Amino acid sequence: MTQAPRPPLPWTTRISVAVASAVTDAARRSNGTVNRRLLSLLDARSRASAKPHRGVRSADVVVDPVRHIWFRLFAPSDSAAAAGEPFPVIVFFHGGGFAFLSPASRAYDAVCRRICREVRALVVSVNYRLAPEHRYPAPYEDGTDVLRFLDRGGIASADPAAAAADLSCCFLAGDSAGANIAHHVARRWAAGAGWERVRLAGMVLIQPFFGGEERTEAELRLTRGADRDHEASNVFGTRAAAGELEAALPEAMVVVGGFDPLQDWQRRYYEGLRSRGKAARLVEYPDAIHAFYAFPELKQASALMEEIKRFVDAHRSPAK
């Protein structure tokens, strides 16, 4: 059997990837449940900080205490923010296979802080309910409820800079499972009525999780087995809902890594959007692993931040 190719990574990154894999493996039980108590000990977390750190403040905002839905708001803290400069809003959904991590996980706190600082945007990092305790479509419902919360003006009191949030220039973003959630929340936004403030200007889908029962070339080459044909993952498949809502979706930026087993499905998603007449942009990093953006030492992580900034800047609301 031919050995799968190895991505070019620094040894420090390889160690970090190995540790992350060990943590998820240790917390995952054989019956499909997750040992949350053990995971709470292994998942390194960062607190929200009203004191600026590298030009960014953060605060946790509760949306629904019963369902434990909240978000971490990241806001610029420089003079432009103090002067009330309008900022686009990026609603971010973290990855983790729908079952792991949160906005407080150290890696995602760092990623969202970096997006806020380098893109010059308010970042709303959503804590949604996790599987397997909360089944489909719980994360999609939670994400939509956060959008409704923003639409009702719930962000305004979270931070002084949030008063200048430009919700007419709102982006949905996410990575892996979070990018899948961003797509489905966008469809619910398109299907909903009564939106007063929130207008979706675009989607940033970083290595989105999409799949199907068919095993693609990359899955055969980089993994063992694949059997996913639910409408949640195979969004343009035969079981998917009717596609008329796609006409109302905003432009999407789809990010693909050459060492990501999901890459074929990600390109199919991009092609599916284009075939339905939707504007879409494909950004590829041939040497990138899944979740490369969480490792700031990788050059592709810096390149991605530049691409996100260009995409957001191209869709900013004109100066008033």
Side-chain angles (χ1 to χ4, degrees), residues 90 141 159 164 231:
I90 299 175
E141 295 170 344
D159 183 273
E231 64 180 287

Side-chain angles (χ1 to χ4, degrees), residues 119-138:
V119 180
R120 301 288 301 161
L122 296 174
V123 178
V124 172
S125 183
V126 179
N127 187 74
Y128 53 86
R129 290 172 292 172
L130 298 175
E133 296 89 344
H134 304 283
R135 301 184 62 177
Y136 162 90

Side-chain angles (χ1 to χ4, degrees), residues 133-297:
E133 296 89 344
H134 304 283
R135 301 184 62 177
Y136 162 90
Y140 306 156
E141 295 170 344
D142 297 349
T144 305
D145 286 346
V146 169
L147 271 195
R148 289 288 186 189
F149 180 86
L150 300 180
D151 195 61
R152 295 193 299 267
I155 195 175
S157 61
D159 183 273
D166 184 2
L167 289 170
S168 70
C169 187
C170 186
F171 297 81
L172 298 184
D175 69 298
S176 193
N180 174 292
I181 295 170
H183 165 84
H184 285 282
V185 171
R187 292 190 91 251
R188 281 159 172 71
W189 172 84
W195 297 100
E196 297 181 1
R197 296 180 176 88
V198 171
R199 184 188 73 82
L200 294 189
M203 297 185 292
V204 178
L205 307 181
I206 306 169
Q207 298 181 294
F209 166 76
F210 296 118
E213 188 170 355
E214 174 191 353
R215 299 182 70 193
T216 69
E217 186 277 333
E219 288 173 326
L220 288 169
R221 177 165 47 90
L222 299 173
T223 69
R224 296 182 180 179
D227 186 4
R228 307 178 296 269
D229 213 14
H230 189 275
E231 64 180 287
S233 62
N234 194 353
V235 296
F236 296 140
T238 57
R239 300 183 200 170
E244 63 272 7
L245 292 179
E246 270 66 35
L249 292 179
E251 181 176 349
M253 174 179 136
V254 183
V255 180
V256 177
F259 282 89
D260 185 350
L262 301 175
Q263 61 186 273
D264 296 330
W265 290 106
Q266 293 157 3
R267 292 190 189 94
R268 288 186 185 186
Y269 175 78
Y270 162 78
E271 293 161 0
L273 290 175
R274 293 295 298 268
S275 69
R276 288 161 175 77
K278 295 303 303 176
R281 180 180 177 190
L282 185 66
V283 179
E284 298 200 60
Y285 299 102
D287 290 336
I289 61 171
H290 194 74
F292 69 92
Y293 40 84
F295 302 98
E297 67 272 18

